[in-house]
Amino acid sequence: MVENKIIDGKAVAKRIRLEIARETEAVKQMGIEPCLAVIIVGNNPASRVYVNNKKNSCAEVGIKSLEYALPEETTEEELLTLIDTLNADDSVHGILVQLPLPKQISEQKVIEHIVPSKDVDCFHPYSAGKLFTGAPVFEPCTPSGIMELIYESGIEIAGSECVVVGRSNIVGKPMAMLLLAANGTVTVAHSKTPELKAVCKRADILIVAIGKAKFINADYVKEGAVVIDVGMNRDENGKLCGDVDFDSVYGKCGAITPVPGGVGPMTITILLRNTLRAAKESKNK
């Protein structure tokens, strides 16, 4: 178990990024420059922050990043044509389309248009299917980052009671698959789950991704449980907070991720690791 109870996502991410930087340099010595193409459509301020963070993170570990900033009125056909070009470009190893997209563009169609070998977000149905059968092309970024944080906590997943609150395609469902693959006993809970408090209180590992600020308090948490907070919200004072009421839960849990500084730094770190892996695998094509 982590000594100070708080699982420091920044520290874990930093350690993994050092490994990625070393591997990236080794891959470059073989004549391959790992490259991530990021597409942003429109002027969503949050999307711009995320894209800038991804570019800066790529630079930190030596991965080349390409940005394609398209206007809000971009048509679906124009975006799919750009993706076709990037799919065919052997120097591009990962393609990421920043969500959300303007209403005239189908997010699902765009996700399905990226070739699975460059789907470093693990959003494509093919990638999701591989994950479901235990043979993912790439591990989904946020759930995979959470697995690293659980390992960091020192708790054994095999045989542990794991509860995931939230069933999104990006976090909840793939999270359950990764925990199952690690031999956890997994329950996926959600807004329609009766007796949610009792279900959560069974968990040795409680992962919360519901998008409701400070929803989970100490009444939902088993004594000594590991609590992973995926939420990113603003409280009544405009301060960043998670889906877990940190101050309430801290005294009861065995380990907990803070917001910010917990899960967030891990998501982009796994994206970098997936891009590096895609570059290495491109050598074998």
Side-chain angles (χ1 to χ4, degrees), residues 247-259:
D247 293 338
S248 167
V249 170
Y250 180 80
K252 195 172 185 182
C253 66
I256 187 169
T257 58
V259 176

Side-chain angles (χ1 to χ4, degrees), residues 25 123 141 144 159 163 167 171 173 201 207 217 221 227 237-238 261 264:
E25 188 53 41
F123 285 171
C141 298
S144 183
V163 174
R167 51 179 167 175
V171 180
K173 291 175 188 173
K201 213 160 184 175
I207 298 166
N217 60 34
V221 177
V227 179
N237 302 313

Side-chain angles (χ1 to χ4, degrees), residues 106-263:
S106 162
E107 290 188 358
Q108 194 59 36
K109 195 176 283 188
V110 167
I111 286 167
E112 292 178 7
H113 213 71
I114 298 169
V115 291
S117 62
K118 300 187 182 188
D119 175 34
V120 287
D121 256 335
C122 193
F123 285 171
H124 194 287
Y126 175 85
S127 305
K130 295 278 273 186
L131 180 68
F132 188 85
T133 58
V137 180
F138 302 106
E139 289 192 348
C141 298
T142 298
S144 183
I146 290 168
M147 293 296 283
E148 295 286 354
L149 295 178
I150 294 171
Y151 296 137
E152 183 72 11
S153 76
I155 195 168
E156 178 65 46
I157 296 173
S160 291
E161 187 88 27
C162 308
V163 174
V164 180
V165 188
R167 51 179 167 175
S168 72
N169 291 334
I170 293 174
V171 180
K173 291 175 188 173
M175 187 76 249
M177 290 302 103
L178 291 183
L179 290 166
L180 276 173
N183 299 313
T185 300
V186 184
T187 300
V188 179
H190 45 79
S191 59
K192 299 291 190 291
T193 300
E195 304 295 334
L196 179 61
K197 198 173 287 188
V199 171
C200 291
K201 213 160 184 175
R202 296 201 311 255
D204 302 307
I205 299 169
L206 178 62
I207 298 166
V208 187
I210 50 174
K212 293 183 179 178
K214 299 184 180 180
F215 182 82
I216 298 293
N217 60 34
D219 294 341
Y220 289 76
V221 177
K222 176 181 177 180
E223 191 79 41
V226 171
V227 179
I228 307 290
D229 189 350
V230 188
M232 184 66 76
N233 312 290
R234 298 262 176 198
D235 65 14
E236 60 278 5
N237 302 313
K239 186 181 174 188
L240 277 175
C241 67
D243 293 347
V244 176
D245 184 349
F246 184 92
D247 293 338
S248 167
V249 170
Y250 180 80
K252 195 172 185 182
C253 66
I256 187 169
T257 58
V259 176
V263 173

Side-chain angles (χ1 to χ4, degrees), residues 54-121:
K54 286 163 186 168
K55 286 165 62 180
N56 293 338
S57 298
C58 282
E60 179 190 329
V61 299
I63 290 175
K64 181 180 179 181
S65 66
L66 305 173
E67 181 188 308
Y68 297 86
L70 307 180
E72 184 81 25
E73 61 274 13
T74 298
T75 66
E76 185 175 276
E77 186 179 358
E78 287 169 334
L79 178 53
L80 296 180
T81 298
L82 172 58
I83 293 171
D84 282 334
T85 300
L86 296 172
N87 281 339
D89 187 342
D90 290 341
S91 70
V92 172
H93 305 107
I95 302 170
L96 184 151
V97 179
Q98 185 65 47
L99 305 179
L101 291 167
K103 60 182 182 300
Q104 73 271 17
I105 300 174
S106 162
E107 290 188 358
Q108 194 59 36
K109 195 176 283 188
V110 167
I111 286 167
E112 292 178 7
H113 213 71
I114 298 169
V115 291
S117 62
K118 300 187 182 188
D119 175 34
V120 287
D121 256 335

